[in-house]
Structures are given as structure tokens and as C-alpha cells.
Amino acid sequence: MDNEIFQAITKNSPFIAWIHNISLNQQKYIKSKFKDLNLGHDVRYIMFIYDNPNCSQEDLVNMFSQSKGNIAKSLKKLEDLGYIIRETDPNNRRKYMLNTTEKGNDLVPKFRKISKEWEKEVGITDSDDELRERIREIAINGMKLVEEE
């Protein structure tokens, strides 16, 4: 493979550029496996909702650092496609609880399988648990830093 293609990924590149590149390429890979679904990055919202039943739109805004408008637009799309359902929170009628539908529940294991295949192909192994935890800590610290401002 031509090394010029990868010239932007150098030892002097900022760490975050590498993380961004990894994320984009994983999304491209997954998108290629789910071409017929046309979900793109929105699949991450399905995953979050699946893992956090009864979460709110605000939870997604905070987790993904997206605007309320962008999240609302994505949720509307996912609801129209039948992946999620929004129900009024009985404790706060102005708030919605988000949950995956059967269609969303069926997608999650398929997505995780493809994601795991990608990790294997790029060289992420089970022995990388320490690295995963460190990157998770960095992500959490970054979220806290932004919250404090």
C-alpha cells in the first residue's frame, strides 16, 4: 500500500487526530457492512439507548456533545425507521424516555459483531484491556473538563 496515503498519520500528529482517524475508519467500515440501513453515525444512538433503557434526549446530548437540535433530528429519524420509541416520562411529562424497539434490539448484536470483526482486523485484541481503560479514562476526563467550563 502507498505510504503517501497515510502521511497525515505521523509520529508528530496530535493524539486526538489518531483517535479521530480510528473512529472515522471504523464508522466507514461498519457503514459498508450495513449499506442498506443508511444509519451512519446514528447507530451510536441506538447502541446508547439499548444500553441505557429509559434514557432521555438530554442524556444523548451530554454523552455525544451534540446539539439538542441534532439529537432531536436523529431521534426522529430513528423513530420513523422503527429502531426506537419515545414515551412520555411519567415523572416529568415534558421529558421523553427512550427505548429500542424489537427492530433496534435485533440490530445491536449484529452491530457489535461487525464492530468486533473490525477491531480484530485492525489489531485490537483482548490483551488491550489496559489501553481501552486508559482511553476511556481520557474520554471521561475530557467530558469533565468541558463540563467545568
Side-chain angles (χ1 to χ4, degrees):
M1 194 162 288
D2 188 356
N3 274 345
E4 288 185 30
I5 294 171
F6 305 108
Q7 67 184 358
I9 303 297
T10 66
K11 290 181 181 181
N12 295 330
S13 296
F15 179 72
I16 195 65
W18 300 342
I19 298 293
H20 183 68
N21 178 277
I22 291 167
S23 176
L24 287 176
N25 283 304
Q26 187 211 33
Q27 288 298 319
K28 286 178 188 177
Y29 179 85
I30 290 170
K31 190 174 181 180
S32 75
K33 300 295 182 181
F34 292 107
K35 286 180 193 169
D36 55 324
L37 300 182
N38 194 26
L39 288 174
H41 287 294
D42 292 343
V43 75
R44 63 188 172 165
Y45 303 138
I46 298 170
M47 301 295 291
F48 184 86
I49 294 166
Y50 177 89
D51 290 336
N52 300 279
N54 297 322
C55 64
S56 70
Q57 179 175 321
E58 191 67 29
D59 293 331
L60 277 95
V61 167
N62 293 332
M63 178 63 195
F64 295 102
S65 298
Q66 297 290 311
S67 71
K68 288 180 182 180
N70 283 343
I71 294 290
K73 184 178 170 184
S74 292
L75 292 178
K76 174 75 171 122
K77 174 185 170 183
L78 294 175
E79 190 174 28
D80 290 348
L81 290 171
Y83 291 105
I84 66 162
I85 185 169
R86 288 192 262 195
E87 300 170 306
T88 305
D89 185 337
N91 299 320
N92 182 349
R93 291 179 181 235
R94 292 179 292 155
K95 197 174 182 184
Y96 288 101
M97 298 182 311
L98 305 171
N99 288 289
T100 50
T101 61
E102 186 175 334
K103 185 177 179 181
N105 293 342
D106 289 344
L107 177 67
V108 171
K110 294 173 187 170
F111 175 84
R112 289 206 164 120
K113 181 178 182 272
I114 296 296
S115 185
K116 200 70 168 161
E117 288 171 8
W118 176 85
E119 288 179 7
K120 182 179 176 187
E121 289 294 322
V122 299
I124 299 171
T125 66
D126 291 338
S127 64
D128 290 324
D129 286 343
E130 207 174 292
L131 176 62
R132 289 176 198 263
E133 186 54 33
R134 183 67 186 119
I135 291 173
R136 182 178 169 277
E137 287 172 12
I138 292 169
I140 290 169
N141 289 341
M143 290 173 72
K144 287 178 182 175
L145 187 62
V146 172
E147 268 182 16
E148 292 171 1
E149 291 185 7

